Amino acid sequence: MSYPNADPELRHWLDTNTYHHKDFPISELASIVKEKNVKITVIIPAKEVAKHIGGVLKKTVKPLVDTHVVSKVIAIDANSADKTGNVAAANGATVLQRAEIAPELGPSLGKGDAMWRALLNISSSQGRDGCSNNDIVAFLDGDTGDPDPSHLIGIIGPLIHKDKLQMVRGCFDRPFRSANGDIQPHQGGRVTEILARPLLNSHFPELAGFRQPLAGEFAARRGLLKDLKFPVGYGVEIGTLIDASRLVGMAPLAECDLGTRQNDHKDLRQLGSMALTILNAVERRLNHPGALGKALSDKMWLPWDGNYQIVSAAERPSVNEYLRAKRKPLVEPPFIDVPEMLNFRDIGGYPTTQNFFVRRGLIFRSANFDDLTAMGVRRLQSLRIKAVFDLRSAHEVEKSKATGGDKEFNAWSAQEYGPKRYHVPVFAESDHSPEAMAKRFKDYSAEGLCEILSSNSSQFSDCSACNHFASRHLLVPAVTNFNPLHSRERPDRVSGEYEYTERGLGTKWKAETVKRLQGSPIFQGKSVESIQRMVGARHEVMEATVDMIENDFGGVEEFLTGMMNIDKRTVKICKEVLQYENRGLLYV
């Protein structure tokens, strides 16, 4: 279809960014999803829709689950009296209750709030779900009376095919079904025609091309959704559309024709409160002095009832903003200056639970000792280190010996009061094959979090023996001071300088390391961005790893006993040795 009368910018968008669901065969989508390893989550806000939710799940969603296009399906219920949750669960959905997600915010305030809470749930449990910001989240209404796979295919198809797209909104013909069952073509979508469309044409003309700006069927990249505010009520669709256009522009936004869609129509008198929530969402986004900071109406007078109806004008902050506000600040590791040694730090001083902290001066970590000097040895002696656990592979140790590394350390260790060295490698020798090292590089340099979390989980399992050995050392009070020589051999093991925080070692060190790695044969053809992601600790990876431990194991102690195979008695004694209670005393 051509649009010769549209303004040039609108005509260009309509010509290039509108699609039809028939353009995206399921078999083709399945092949691309497998090739790109894209994970797609479907979220259905569902409240008192037991009559329809089963059909939506069975007819719209199941064909894409069966072909492995869709990874996960969530129905976000509100303890519906009609047992909506039971019907959804019986048809394969994971059922979440709104009140159980972010309970500190109180009860859910509407459809938009439900969508936001479901997005929060999958964003704060990234160890278990799809983790990349490039993954797709699709929203469907749960009250569709004529469910069809096209309603889902159309909103995810363009995103699967075209990496440049960030959000796809659904559009469809909306027939009106009268009380006697007669079908009136094009008479549905009354609030769209009398309110939403005029508002967009007046204030956001660049969005005028969207046929159904209030459609509940839309999909977007997870990363974009996490940056959007969500109006808690029916303003969620138009609010997220406006905000997305402001955040990424029009080129990454698209609309797809889904065919027809029929749902239960609201009585005319019910449409006023819906219209007010939509008007509030638009008012909040108008760039004029009267709108900014304006108190929006949260109630509507109903003359026929002689009373007000409460209409929430609230909005949830972006998921990213909410998580940033909730997270505890990461404690910067206390680096210790040891001449010619990198990444030497005390792992004490961190808060644990309640009012307890890890004691300082008991456990340290570092890179290798290859460049240690006599002055460095004297600094280490002052720390009274009595044991060194060398986590390097036999290959790394032999390589160090061949180049004369560890000379000063070995001399120190041979002294009467020198430290004892224990070789407890993290990786098996089989993990040093070119294939294994290439996989670790791919995992640790990935843009998303899934790959690195998977690698971390595998590494946790690999290192359980050495951690068990080290924890047993803590049971002997006379030899508590020790230093785990931390050196994970990855494909980037050109020297022992990779797992250090940028703040601790400085951006200059990081830039020099990246430049050196670019010259290594290991990294031929690798992008600078992928090497930068691998070098240095990434804030989001650290947080996601903590989430994974809490979600998959129930906490740190359960992780130590379950994954690391450390018995409960050892854990208990280690806590007694390592922890101290802050009672207002300054601990140095």
Side-chain angles (χ1 to χ4, degrees):
M1 184 175 180
S2 61
Y3 306 91
N5 297 323
D7 291 339
E9 295 83 0
L10 178 58
R11 183 168 64 247
H12 174 74
W13 183 85
L14 290 169
D15 288 341
T16 59
N17 286 50
T18 55
Y19 301 89
H20 196 282
H21 70 87
K22 292 181 180 179
D23 298 333
F24 307 104
I26 292 182
S27 59
E28 190 174 292
L29 296 182
S31 176
I32 298 174
V33 164
K34 182 178 180 181
E35 178 186 348
K36 293 184 177 180
N37 192 29
V38 177
K39 293 178 175 58
I40 300 174
T41 300
V42 174
I43 294 174
I44 307 175
K47 180 180 180 182
E48 309 296 348
V49 290
K51 182 172 73 171
H52 295 302
I53 188 70
V56 172
L57 289 167
K58 191 178 300 181
K59 296 181 180 180
T60 301
V61 181
K62 190 174 185 295
L64 288 101
V65 173
D66 290 345
T67 51
H68 306 290
V69 175
V70 168
S71 308
K72 189 167 188 176
V73 184
I74 294 173
I76 179 77
D77 190 21
N79 290 315
S80 300
D82 68 355
K83 306 298 182 184
T84 292
N86 292 352
V87 177
N91 283 277
T94 297
V95 178
L96 304 177
Q97 295 299 331
R98 306 177 188 188
E100 295 175 1
I101 302 170
E104 69 277 8
L105 299 177
S108 175
L109 299 177
K111 176 187 179 182
D113 201 0
M115 295 162 63
W116 181 86
R117 293 187 192 220
L119 179 64
L120 174 66
N121 176 267
I122 63 173
S123 299
S124 57
S125 55
Q126 294 178 331
R128 295 174 295 175
D129 297 298
C131 313
S132 170
N133 283 335
N134 202 45
D135 288 341
I136 296 168
V137 178
F139 295 100
L140 296 176
D141 280 344
D143 63 347
T144 301
D146 57 346
D148 189 271
S150 63
H151 297 163
L152 180 54
I153 290 171
I155 57 177
I156 64 175
L159 289 166
I160 291 171
H161 268 268
K162 297 185 178 296
D163 293 339
K164 71 169 186 176
L165 293 179
Q166 290 288 314
M167 176 180 282
V168 176
R169 314 292 292 214
C171 64
F172 29 72
D173 185 40
R174 291 290 302 275
F176 183 85
R177 179 177 297 169
S178 63
N180 62 10
D182 291 341
I183 300 296
Q184 302 174 33
H186 316 304
Q187 298 304 303
R190 291 165 290 172
V191 178
T192 295
E193 300 306 329
I194 64 176
L195 179 66
R197 197 177 310 287
L199 281 173
L200 291 181
N201 275 270
S202 293
H203 300 294
F204 305 96
E206 69 277 10
L207 297 173
F210 283 92
R211 284 170 50 193
Q212 297 284 349
L214 304 184
E217 287 73 21
F218 71 94
R221 306 286 177 193
R222 180 197 293 256
L224 174 60
L225 289 172
K226 287 164 58 181
D227 280 332
L228 299 179
K229 295 180 179 179
F230 274 56
V232 298
Y234 288 111
V236 63
E237 285 90 5
I238 199 166
T240 53
L241 177 61
I242 294 170
D243 289 350
S245 69
R246 287 175 164 174
L247 198 61
V248 299
M250 289 298 296
L253 306 185
E255 189 174 58
C256 187
D257 190 326
L258 310 182
T260 61
R261 180 178 175 272
Q262 182 73 56
N263 63 345
D264 293 337
H265 297 284
K266 289 180 168 55
D267 293 336
L268 181 62
R269 286 184 169 180
Q270 292 179 296
L271 298 183
S273 58
M274 177 186 291
L276 180 57
T277 63
I278 292 166
L279 182 61
N280 280 339
V282 175
E283 278 277 314
R284 195 184 293 274
R285 288 160 174 81
L286 294 180
N287 289 324
H288 62 75
L292 297 177
K294 179 180 177 181
L296 301 174
S297 176
D298 61 355
K299 60 183 181 180
M300 183 173 186
W301 178 253
L302 306 180
W304 53 87
D305 279 348
N307 207 342
Y308 286 101
Q309 179 179 352
I310 301 301
V311 179
S312 178
E315 297 198 354
R316 296 301 181 200
S318 73
V319 164
N320 280 335
E321 182 181 349
Y322 176 80
L323 291 175
R324 280 194 297 269
K326 275 196 59 123
R327 72 170 60 118
K328 295 179 181 179
L330 293 174
V331 180
E332 193 65 26
F335 284 89
I336 297 173
D337 183 24
V338 177
E340 303 305 324
M341 284 197 68
L342 290 170
N343 201 26
F344 193 98
R345 60 190 192 233
D346 190 333
I347 67 168
Y350 295 98
T352 56
T353 56
Q354 298 176 351
N355 207 31
F356 285 86
F357 292 79
V358 179
R359 293 184 186 277
R360 295 187 187 275
L362 289 181
I363 303 179
F364 307 90
R365 62 158 289 180
S366 74
N368 62 55
F369 291 128
D370 283 4
D371 298 320
L372 184 65
T373 64
M375 186 181 297
V377 168
R378 288 194 292 273
R379 181 70 179 96
L380 294 176
Q381 286 173 325
S382 71
L383 298 173
R384 298 181 298 171
I385 293 174
K386 300 176 181 178
V388 172
F389 290 84
D390 192 338
L391 309 184
R392 297 178 299 175
S393 66
H395 170 77
E396 287 181 287
V397 172
E398 290 303 316
K399 183 179 177 181
S400 178
K401 289 180 179 178
T403 57
D406 289 9
K407 179 180 177 182
E408 291 290 342
F409 173 80
N410 290 332
W412 170 38
S413 179
Q415 297 175 12
E416 182 179 357
Y417 297 105
K420 185 173 181 180
R421 188 177 200 158
Y422 301 92
H423 184 217
V424 280
V426 171
F427 290 119
E429 292 305 308
S430 58
D431 290 330
H432 301 293
S433 67
E435 295 78 13
M437 295 177 75
K439 183 180 185 306
R440 286 202 291 279
F441 170 77
K442 180 182 178 182
D443 289 345
Y444 276 91
S445 61
E447 180 179 358
L449 298 177
C450 282
E451 294 87 350
I452 192 168
L453 288 177
S454 174
S455 186
N456 278 348
S457 181
S458 174
Q459 192 172 101
F460 288 150
S461 177
D462 292 340
C463 71
S464 61
C466 64
N467 279 316
H468 189 276
F469 189 90
S471 66
R472 298 290 297 180
H473 184 82
L474 287 172
L475 303 185
V476 186
V479 289
T480 51
N481 293 57
F482 69 95
N483 173 63
L485 178 60
H486 188 84
S487 178
R488 298 178 184 170
E489 179 158 352
R490 302 180 186 163
D492 56 7
R493 180 53 73 194
V494 178
S495 67
E497 301 179 359
Y498 300 101
E499 193 152 332
Y500 322 138
T501 66
E502 182 175 311
R503 186 170 173 184
L505 295 174
T507 54
K508 181 180 179 182
W509 166 86
K510 186 173 182 178
E512 290 175 351
T513 302
V514 170
K515 184 177 180 180
R516 184 168 62 252
L517 292 181
Q518 286 181 278
S520 168
I522 299 175
F523 298 101
Q524 290 297 317
K526 307 299 182 184
S527 69
V528 174
E529 291 77 13
S530 65
I531 298 175
Q532 287 174 335
R533 284 194 294 270
M534 181 183 61
V535 174
R538 291 162 58 187
H539 189 107
E540 66 271 21
V541 171
M542 298 165 72
E543 289 190 331
T545 301
V546 172
D547 280 344
M548 178 181 69
I549 289 173
E550 292 179 350
N551 293 327
D552 292 354
F553 295 93
V556 175
E557 290 191 37
E558 292 80 1
F559 167 76
L560 291 173
T561 55
M563 174 66 86
M564 297 296 183
N565 298 317
I566 300 175
D567 62 90
K568 292 182 178 180
R569 175 179 174 274
T570 300
V571 172
K572 179 176 181 295
I573 297 176
C574 285
K575 285 175 63 178
E576 292 172 355
V577 172
L578 288 174
Q579 287 190 137
Y580 75 95
E581 185 175 6
N582 183 7
R583 298 181 179 178
L585 300 176
L586 178 63
Y587 185 86
V588 181

